[in-house]
């Protein structure tokens, strides 16, 4: 079973920031938080990942709470092309013995409204 | 394009036939993963390779499924005696393991339909 909890769906207006929450209250100290998204009928696309600190790249920002029990993915200026299913995944580090496959839940279906 | 590629993109077969899919990972990636995704669900892990060694198999990988990665480059996934329940998208991902954590990059998938 997935170790994360996400809302099944969210709407966001085009041009606004989309904030996608994820709960991972049982996360271990050596587990990373990963975000992927999947546009209909395509393979999942990597977005961002983090361990403790907040992270930012050209696609998004990842905010991880201090206790690491939840995180938020932020798409700063959502466009219609950001409509997709967004998956939040926790994964143990390689040094923690992890080389497992990713465990996907059902994700959040983000719909960007024009 | 230097991403993960998969062939064929679509495959329609009759029940009982064997099918084989191919995955070409990103160059120099030493890990390769296979997943299966059915309609409305997230991808489910099947198996993975580190170089040419198959190191883990999910309980989802029945005896009819076999995967290979000769010489640690491309990989093939074969399904023997296909069943209608095998209809799904089969996804491949690759990553470069170098300590810490490895990020998996996915291909476009092969959609299998078993009639």
């Amino acid at each position: 079973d997935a170790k994360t909890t996400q809302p099944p769906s969210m709407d966001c207006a085009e041009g606004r920031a989309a904030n996608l929450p994820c709960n991972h209250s049982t996360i271990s100290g050596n587990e990373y938080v990963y975000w992927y998204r999947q546009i209909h009928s395509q393979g999942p696309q990597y977005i961002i990942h983090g361990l403790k600190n907040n992270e930012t790249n050209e696609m998004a920002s990842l905010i991880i709470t201090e206790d690491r029990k939840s995180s938020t993915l932020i798409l700063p200026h959502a466009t219609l092309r950001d409509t997709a299913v967004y998956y939040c995944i926790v994964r143990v580090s390689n040094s923690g013995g992890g080389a497992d496959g990713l465990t996907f839940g059902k994700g959040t279906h983000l719909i960007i409204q024009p | 394009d230097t991403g993960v590629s998969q062939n064929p993109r679509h495959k329609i077969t009759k029940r009982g036939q064997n099918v084989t899919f191919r995955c070409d990972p990103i160059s120099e990636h030493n890990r390769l993963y296979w997943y299966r995704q059915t309609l409305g669900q997230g991808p489910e892990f099947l198996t993975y390779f580190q170089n040419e060694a198959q190191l883990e198999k999910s309980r989802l990988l029945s005896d009819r499924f076999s995967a290979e990665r000769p010489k640690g480059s491309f990989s093939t996934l074969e399904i023997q005696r296909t069943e209608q329940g095998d209809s799904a998208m089969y996804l491949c991902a690759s990553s470069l393991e170098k300590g810490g954590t490895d990020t998996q990059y996915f291909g476009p998938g092969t959609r299998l339909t078993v009639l």
Side-chain angles (χ1 to χ4, degrees):
Chain A
D1 291 343
K3 296 177 65 174
T4 62
T5 304
Q6 299 177 253
S9 65
M10 291 181 63
D11 288 348
C12 179
E14 187 178 19
R16 303 297 294 270
N19 296 273
L20 291 90
C22 179
N23 181 288
H24 32 79
S25 58
T26 61
I27 193 170
S28 300
N30 62 353
E31 287 183 315
Y32 288 77
V33 178
Y34 273 83
W35 284 83
Y36 283 80
R37 72 181 182 184
Q38 189 171 27
I39 297 170
H40 183 60
S41 296
Q42 298 182 19
Q45 179 188 22
Y46 165 75
I47 302 173
I48 198 166
H49 74 279
L51 184 62
K52 296 179 181 178
N53 300 322
N54 298 336
E55 302 288 343
T56 295
N57 63 20
E58 64 279 4
M59 289 184 67
S61 294
L62 174 60
I63 307 299
I64 302 175
T65 58
E66 191 169 346
D67 63 8
R68 302 187 69 238
K69 293 185 177 182
S70 65
S71 61
T72 301
L73 178 74
I74 301 173
L75 307 178
H77 304 287
T79 70
L80 298 178
R81 288 182 294 181
D82 291 322
T83 292
V85 177
Y86 287 76
Y87 296 100
C88 170
I89 299 164
V90 297
R91 184 165 188 262
V92 66
S93 68
N94 295 331
S95 60
D100 301 342
L102 301 172
T103 301
F104 289 79
K106 291 185 179 293
T108 295
H109 187 194
L110 176 66
I111 299 172
I112 306 301
Q113 305 282 2
Chain B
D1 184 65
T2 58
V4 177
S5 62
Q6 293 187 245
N7 288 288
R9 296 292 309 278
H10 303 273
K11 178 70 176 179
I12 299 174
T13 191
K14 293 182 179 179
R15 188 176 54 185
Q17 298 294 305
N18 299 343
V19 294
T20 301
F21 310 139
R22 175 175 171 131
C23 171
D24 287 88
I26 294 171
S27 179
E28 298 181 355
H29 276 192
N30 54 1
R31 285 187 175 167
L32 189 149
Y33 299 79
W34 285 99
Y35 293 81
R36 181 179 70 184
Q37 185 174 24
T38 54
L39 201 62
Q41 303 297 316
E44 297 172 294
F45 168 72
L46 292 177
T47 188
Y48 99 95
F49 293 83
Q50 173 120 355
N51 300 311
E52 66 274 11
Q54 188 173 13
L55 297 186
E56 186 174 350
K57 298 181 187 180
S58 161
R59 58 180 172 76
L60 295 175
L61 207 68
S62 76
D63 292 344
R64 296 184 297 105
F65 287 67
S66 62
E68 294 183 344
R69 192 183 182 198
K71 303 179 182 179
S73 56
F74 70 91
S75 176
T76 58
L77 178 68
E78 181 183 16
I79 308 174
Q80 296 183 328
R81 305 180 303 282
T82 53
E83 301 173 356
Q84 288 185 324
D86 297 331
S87 295
M89 174 80 86
Y90 290 84
L91 294 158
C92 174
S94 71
S95 69
L96 177 63
E97 190 277 326
K98 53 178 181 178
T101 184
D102 60 309
T103 297
Q104 297 178 32
Y105 296 90
F106 285 79
T110 295
R111 181 166 297 282
L112 172 66
T113 301
V114 181
L115 302 176

